[in-house]
Amino acid sequence: MNRERETVHQRGRLVYQLEETPPMGRRLLYAMQFVIIFIGSIVLVPMLAADDLGWGPEQVTFLLQCAIFTGGIATFVQAKGLGPVGARLPILLGTTFVVITPLVAITTEYGYDAFLGAVIAGGVIYVLLAWFGFRFLRKLFSSTVSGTLVISIALTLAPSCADMMAGGSNPVGGGYNGWQNWVLAVITMGICLVGHCFGKGFLKTTSLFFGLATGYILALVMGVIPFDKVEEAAWISLPRPFAYGVSFHLQPILIMVVIYLVTAVEFIGDTTATAMVCEDRLPTQRELRGGILCDALSSVLSGVFNFAPNISYSDGVGIIGSTRVASRTVMMTSGVLITLAGLVPKFSALLYTMPAPVLGGACLFLTGIMLMAGIEVVLTQPLTLRNSVIIGTSLAVGIGFGFSGVLEQVPVLVRTLFSGIPGTALTGVFLNLVLPSNH
């Protein structure tokens, strides 16, 4: 009787449950919502890295194609499951902001081939940790450390986003800081804010996409978008593995192992949220281990296909909550659609035409949302002296060393691990382990 009541409650709360399959038409409609979220987020990462590294349009377009292709495969496997790999939950995977700092640092010091080698080698270590050291991973990060880490990501990204709003390395119209840049940036950010604050359901969760779309359309009207690279791009092409070569160096590998530990924390949090939204329960150990294995293996695949690791997108949980569609087959369909988009270079070239000010406005909006999300996670625990020390010291180390430039002359391992996001993570984990819990 109790099971029947529970089933009735679940069916009343969800339109489609985890193992149910919507008709094809509806399935495609629901799946496109996740595709929109994915595209709106994935385009920001290589663009921000390109601004720091001076990548040209051909390279960024190709890397976008690689990121889309591997993200689609990862999403499909995560939802479907292959043997022990995959959580078999509707979790969206793709590249996130946390990789930008190590990507720029390693590429500047060792070259992009060394970064890809670190992604692959670090990913193999991550696979071993996921299989043999799963319990160890869960103990490393408390919610206080996790929330502080999210705050650090937002604060680290904000200056780069503001620079892109002014035009970055690719301004429109009258050059850097020209009025055209600010018009595009402010309107894009404004649409994102309006959608997030006043939108309901799908409109709220896709406010980032609609902000980007509005800014892009306005840029079209202003006549500041060149389409020559789109015309030159091929219609169909499989991304070429190892296109930039690969090399292995100890320091970059150690840096990426730390980054993988950071992404594991985010993944565990998103998996927990997904299980709660889908079935009102905590994820099982098999789901968590299988999910982390899929994240790790797909990140190795991403390194083989020339780009950065994959991690879960928290926005995907919001889509499930707003649509009340928890079907795994919907997410599997999203993975297929994203993978197919990764076979179309023209699509990636079109994404590259997104003006820097539009990306900057959307990115600054996103960092604000991330900042408040981190604060909310931190506030789930009492602000005891111990927790206050962890939060304050971790942010002071990561942000202080990251923006002061005092570590510029030290080895890249030290500079990267104690600056920005990695610096916050390592300091938080260390303090969380050594400070007595009753302090």
Side-chain angles (χ1 to χ4, degrees), residues 189-398:
M189 187 174 180
I191 295 297
C192 290
L193 286 169
V194 169
H196 184 76
C197 295
F198 301 104
K200 303 293 182 183
F202 175 67
L203 289 177
K204 181 180 178 71
T205 52
T206 55
S207 56
L208 176 68
F209 172 81
F210 283 108
L212 287 167
T214 303
Y216 191 84
I217 292 171
L218 181 58
L220 279 174
V221 173
M222 295 169 64
V224 296
I225 298 180
F227 286 102
D228 53 317
K229 297 301 179 184
V230 179
E231 295 171 358
E232 295 172 5
W235 277 104
I236 302 294
S237 175
L238 181 68
R240 182 163 55 93
F242 301 113
Y244 299 96
V246 63
S247 63
F248 299 97
H249 304 269
L250 180 59
Q251 292 191 35
I253 292 172
L254 292 177
I255 291 170
M256 287 310 302
V257 168
V258 173
I259 296 300
Y260 278 119
L261 293 178
V262 171
T263 61
V265 179
E266 186 176 347
F267 181 83
I268 289 172
D270 288 340
T271 305
T272 302
T274 300
M276 290 297 294
V277 169
C278 292
E279 296 197 326
D280 287 325
R281 61 172 175 79
L282 293 174
T284 64
Q285 182 166 313
R286 198 221 69 80
E287 287 170 338
L288 284 172
R289 176 181 278 123
I292 293 176
L293 268 174
C294 179
D295 184 36
L297 288 170
S298 71
S299 293
V300 174
L301 179 68
S302 188
V304 170
F305 280 95
N306 315 298
F307 203 54
N310 291 310
I311 185 57
S312 53
Y313 283 168
S314 302
D315 289 344
V317 184
I319 288 284
I320 296 170
S322 64
T323 61
R324 295 185 298 139
V325 174
S327 169
R328 286 196 300 135
T329 56
V330 168
M331 190 62 77
M332 289 158 58
T333 304
S334 300
V336 171
L337 293 175
I338 292 168
T339 303
L340 291 176
L343 298 175
V344 183
K346 271 195 187 300
F347 179 69
S348 300
L350 185 65
L351 291 179
Y352 178 75
T353 63
M354 187 76 67
V358 174
L359 290 171
C363 185
L364 196 63
F365 155 77
L366 196 59
T367 56
I369 300 302
M370 291 171 61
L371 180 62
M372 292 312 301
I375 292 174
E376 287 178 2
V377 173
V378 163
L379 293 180
T380 59
Q381 299 297 318
L383 282 179
T384 60
L385 175 61
R386 179 182 188 273
N387 288 341
S388 298
V389 168
I390 292 174
I391 297 166
T393 306
S394 301
L395 287 173
V397 170

Side-chain angles (χ1 to χ4, degrees), residues 75-263:
T75 297
F76 177 83
V77 175
Q78 190 70 271
K80 178 175 177 55
L82 293 175
V85 180
R88 292 176 172 81
L89 292 171
I91 299 172
L92 187 64
L93 294 181
T95 302
T96 65
F97 295 125
V98 73
V99 303
I100 293 176
T101 299
L103 190 163
V104 173
I106 294 172
T107 302
T108 302
E109 188 78 16
Y110 291 92
Y112 192 58
D113 59 331
F115 171 74
L116 296 176
V119 170
I120 295 170
V124 171
I125 295 172
Y126 185 26
V127 169
L128 296 176
L129 283 173
W131 189 255
F132 297 107
F134 173 71
R135 295 184 185 276
F136 167 74
L137 288 176
R138 297 196 68 179
K139 290 178 181 178
L140 274 183
F141 294 85
S142 65
S143 57
T144 299
V145 177
S146 301
T148 305
L149 188 58
V150 175
I151 294 172
S152 174
I153 294 172
L155 294 177
T156 301
L157 282 173
S160 296
C161 298
D163 178 66
M164 291 186 75
M165 290 177 74
S169 61
N170 190 27
V172 301
Y176 188 81
N177 242 343
W179 66 268
Q180 295 97 329
N181 296 294
W182 289 109
V183 167
L184 289 173
V186 171
I187 289 178
T188 299
M189 187 174 180
I191 295 297
C192 290
L193 286 169
V194 169
H196 184 76
C197 295
F198 301 104
K200 303 293 182 183
F202 175 67
L203 289 177
K204 181 180 178 71
T205 52
T206 55
S207 56
L208 176 68
F209 172 81
F210 283 108
L212 287 167
T214 303
Y216 191 84
I217 292 171
L218 181 58
L220 279 174
V221 173
M222 295 169 64
V224 296
I225 298 180
F227 286 102
D228 53 317
K229 297 301 179 184
V230 179
E231 295 171 358
E232 295 172 5
W235 277 104
I236 302 294
S237 175
L238 181 68
R240 182 163 55 93
F242 301 113
Y244 299 96
V246 63
S247 63
F248 299 97
H249 304 269
L250 180 59
Q251 292 191 35
I253 292 172
L254 292 177
I255 291 170
M256 287 310 302
V257 168
V258 173
I259 296 300
Y260 278 119
L261 293 178
V262 171
T263 61

